Amino acid sequence: MYELFFKKMAEKITLTSAQQDIIKQYLIPKKIRKNQYLLQEGDVAKHAAFVEKGALRAYSVDDRGTEHIIQFAFEGWTISDLYSFLTGEAATYNVDALEDSELVLISKAAQDEILKQIPEYEVYTRLQITGAYLAMQKRLTSILSLSLEERYINLTKLYPNLIQRVPQRMIASYMGLTPETLSRVRRKIKDK
Amino acid sequence: MYELFFKKMAEKITLTSAQQDIIKQYLIPKKIRKNQYLLQEGDVAKHAAFVEKGALRAYSVDDRGTEHIIQFAFEGWTISDLYSFLTGEAATYNVDALEDSELVLISKAAQDEILKQIPEYEVYTRLQITGAYLAMQKRLTSILSLSLEERYINLTKLYPNLIQRVPQRMIASYMGLTPETLSRVRRKIKDK
DNA sequence: TCATTGCGTTGACGCTTATCAATGCGCTTT
DNA sequence: AAAGCGCATTGATAAGCGTCAACGCAATGA
């Protein structure tokens, strides 16, 4: 249990097995079925979720009922409404499972406790959020400066997983497009 | 000197004056004139820059010569090509001054040294990047789910500074629009 | 087996935004 | 004071994307 979780950590910091045992005390394993909610808008995000297996998405719903996908999370990724998780305020978006998934939950209290006891973990969280920041900046700059075709091609290269495991209409939502437009973009690329 | 820099830190962590003195040894003050470059695409980002006074922007230039503004930085903000700063690879964008400015530079080596000597600084950098992440996520979701008018109004509320101190065409670039379109959006809002 | 449902695709149309061009204004420079 | 320049604005037109509608297909269930 927690193999991938510690494997990911080992890529950035070194922990003794005693330290790992301390951390394990605070982790909560959880299985979640496809289409099941992990978090709903209005709830308070009590946990961050590390994905051991499966796939999740975070999304909001606007006035017109349109879904906007904020983030996907596959194996090795962490997902939560970070703002709600940190502040304890109501979540601004929903998180649900795209496939049957296995998660590792970390509560805010657990995270704080681990941060206190294990200085290395502070480094890990800093590096992790830095990576997430850079990835999101890349996503944002690609929206601002690339054509739809370029954006889609980049996405397929960056996350081959995404294309195979996620329905097109969700990819469209992630890109800020209608499914029809994405379908036409794909056609254009194919025709070349 | 460095007043704002330490004031901002004091909002998140507590440092002894001895610790502050250690940090000061690694800081480099720098004045920069309006329109002057701090960093150009292709350079390696050697420093992160904290803005004590003035205003800077980070931007890229695409194939057609169009500028895309990635980030503004006013007093109290930090700016750099984070990716280049961390990896030592060539910068992917430019940073220049919108006004005569006073900066506090921190080199990568200095940062690493401070992180080693002062554990509190690790906490500070983590909280800082987390805040930047959340702000960028907000910017991204507003692009995906709001109308142009809503986005512009939000921007004026969030950063009143921006509207007063930055030319419209740069705000348009920041929003991913042409100056003409932003002008029309502003007109529509005014007419209501 | 047949009906149902959800998804991706395609077509027609309209709205939004980009592009191109022109004007006026304020600021700087000489 | 005059000329030159960058910037914001406005108008006309074109391109891109959203919306609405219809269809085919595969998966699901009666």
Side-chain angles (χ1 to χ4, degrees), chain B residues 26-117:
Chain B
Y26 294 106
L27 303 179
I28 305 162
K30 170 157 185 158
K31 294 197 182 190
I32 182 175
R33 284 277 172 81
K34 181 171 175 173
N35 294 328
Q36 201 181 331
Y37 282 108
L38 181 66
L39 173 70
Q40 295 195 57
E41 193 179 336
D43 294 350
V44 171
K46 292 201 179 63
H47 302 94
F50 176 90
V51 182
E52 280 279 334
K53 206 176 167 188
L56 283 73
R57 63 167 180 164
Y59 68 98
S60 63
V61 182
D62 71 17
D63 312 331
R64 280 174 280 182
T66 311
E67 293 179 358
H68 300 278
I69 293 186
I70 296 156
Q71 195 198 332
F72 292 106
F74 295 95
E75 295 84 3
W77 292 70
T78 298
I79 197 167
S80 77
D81 183 335
L82 185 57
Y83 181 77
S84 174
F85 180 71
L86 289 178
T87 63
E89 294 181 30
T92 54
Y93 47 81
N94 308 281
V95 176
D96 66 8
L98 300 176
E99 307 169 357
D100 293 353
S101 303
E102 297 175 21
L103 311 176
V104 180
L105 302 185
I106 310 168
S107 71
K108 182 66 168 34
Q111 169 132 310
D112 289 343
E113 204 52 46
I114 298 171
L115 283 169
K116 261 188 215 164
Q117 294 186 33

Side-chain angles (χ1 to χ4, degrees), chain A residues 142-143 145-157 175 185 189 192, chain B residues 62-64:
Chain A
S142 103
I143 290 178
S145 57
L146 299 183
S147 71
L148 292 189
E149 296 183 34
E150 289 171 317
R151 284 172 61 196
Y152 183 76
I153 290 169
N154 280 1
L155 210 58
T156 61
K157 285 181 186 162
M175 292 179 70
V185 168
I189 293 171
K192 285 185 177 167
Chain B
D62 71 17
D63 312 331
R64 280 174 280 182

Side-chain angles (χ1 to χ4, degrees), chain B residues 98-142:
Chain B
L98 300 176
E99 307 169 357
D100 293 353
S101 303
E102 297 175 21
L103 311 176
V104 180
L105 302 185
I106 310 168
S107 71
K108 182 66 168 34
Q111 169 132 310
D112 289 343
E113 204 52 46
I114 298 171
L115 283 169
K116 261 188 215 164
Q117 294 186 33
I118 301 174
E120 291 292 319
Y121 186 74
E122 178 87 47
V123 177
Y124 176 66
T125 56
R126 173 172 64 85
L127 294 177
Q128 192 179 250
I129 188 78
T130 302
Y133 174 86
L134 288 172
M136 192 159 58
Q137 187 175 78
K138 205 168 177 181
R139 181 177 169 197
L140 195 137
T141 56
S142 103

Side-chain angles (χ1 to χ4, degrees), chain A residues 68-70 82-83 86 93 115 122-123 125-126 129-130 132-134 136-137 139-141 144-145 174 176, chain B residues 68-70 82-83 86 93 115 122-123 125-126 129-130 132-134 136-137 139-141 144-145 174 176:
Chain A
H68 300 279
I69 294 186
I70 296 155
L82 184 57
Y83 181 76
L86 289 178
Y93 47 81
L115 283 169
E122 179 88 47
V123 177
T125 55
R126 174 172 62 85
I129 189 76
T130 302
Y133 174 86
L134 288 172
M136 191 159 60
Q137 186 175 78
R139 180 177 170 198
L140 196 139
T141 55
L144 293 181
S145 57
Y174 181 79
Chain B
H68 300 278
I69 293 186
I70 296 156
L82 185 57
Y83 181 77
L86 289 178
Y93 47 81
L115 283 169
E122 178 87 47
V123 177
T125 56
R126 173 172 64 85
I129 188 78
T130 302
Y133 174 86
L134 288 172
M136 192 159 58
Q137 187 175 78
R139 181 177 169 197
L140 195 137
T141 56
L144 293 181
S145 57
Y174 181 79

Side-chain angles (χ1 to χ4, degrees), chain A:
Chain A
M1 211 172 346
Y2 309 138
E3 289 112 28
L4 190 55
F5 180 83
F6 284 107
K7 192 181 160 199
K8 281 281 162 187
M9 283 186 71
E11 288 173 8
K12 296 193 171 159
I13 59 170
T14 307
L15 291 179
T16 66
S17 59
Q19 285 176 318
Q20 290 190 22
D21 290 341
I22 293 174
I23 293 175
K24 276 181 191 166
Q25 293 177 355
Y26 293 106
L27 302 179
I28 305 163
K30 171 157 185 158
K31 296 197 182 189
I32 182 174
R33 284 277 172 81
K34 180 172 175 172
N35 292 328
Q36 202 180 330
Y37 282 108
L38 181 66
L39 173 70
Q40 295 195 57
E41 192 179 337
D43 295 349
V44 171
K46 291 201 178 65
H47 303 94
F50 176 89
V51 182
E52 279 278 336
K53 206 175 164 187
L56 282 74
R57 64 166 180 164
Y59 68 98
S60 64
V61 182
D62 70 17
D63 312 331
R64 280 173 279 182
T66 311
E67 293 180 357
H68 300 279
I69 294 186
I70 296 155
Q71 195 198 330
F72 292 105
F74 297 95
E75 295 85 1
W77 291 69
T78 298
I79 196 168
S80 79
D81 183 336
L82 184 57
Y83 181 76
S84 174
F85 180 72
L86 289 178
T87 63
E89 294 181 28
T92 54
Y93 47 81
N94 309 280
V95 176
D96 67 7
L98 301 176
E99 308 170 356
D100 293 352
S101 302
E102 296 175 22
L103 310 177
V104 180
L105 302 185
I106 310 169
S107 71
K108 183 66 168 32
Q111 168 131 310
D112 289 342
E113 205 51 46
I114 298 171
L115 283 169
K116 262 187 215 164
Q117 294 186 33
I118 302 174
E120 291 292 320
Y121 186 73
E122 179 88 47
V123 177
Y124 175 66
T125 55
R126 174 172 62 85
L127 294 176
Q128 192 179 251
I129 189 76
T130 302
Y133 174 86
L134 288 172
M136 191 159 60
Q137 186 175 78
K138 204 168 177 182
R139 180 177 170 198
L140 196 139
T141 55
S142 103
I143 290 178
L144 293 181
S145 57
L146 299 183
S147 71
L148 292 189
E149 296 183 34
E150 289 171 317
R151 284 172 61 196
Y152 183 76
I153 290 169
N154 280 1
L155 210 58
T156 61
K157 285 181 186 162
L158 198 54
Y159 308 113
N161 265 343
L162 201 68
I163 315 301
Q164 293 159 352
R165 292 165 63 180
V166 174
Q168 311 267 356
R169 63 194 174 77
M170 291 193 189
I171 294 171
S173 164
Y174 181 79
M175 292 179 70
L177 308 176
T178 60
E180 293 95 328
T181 298
L182 179 58
S183 173
R184 287 175 182 122
V185 168
R186 283 162 50 83
R187 184 130 228 301
K188 263 196 176 176
I189 293 171
K190 208 179 171 187
D191 285 353
K192 285 185 177 167

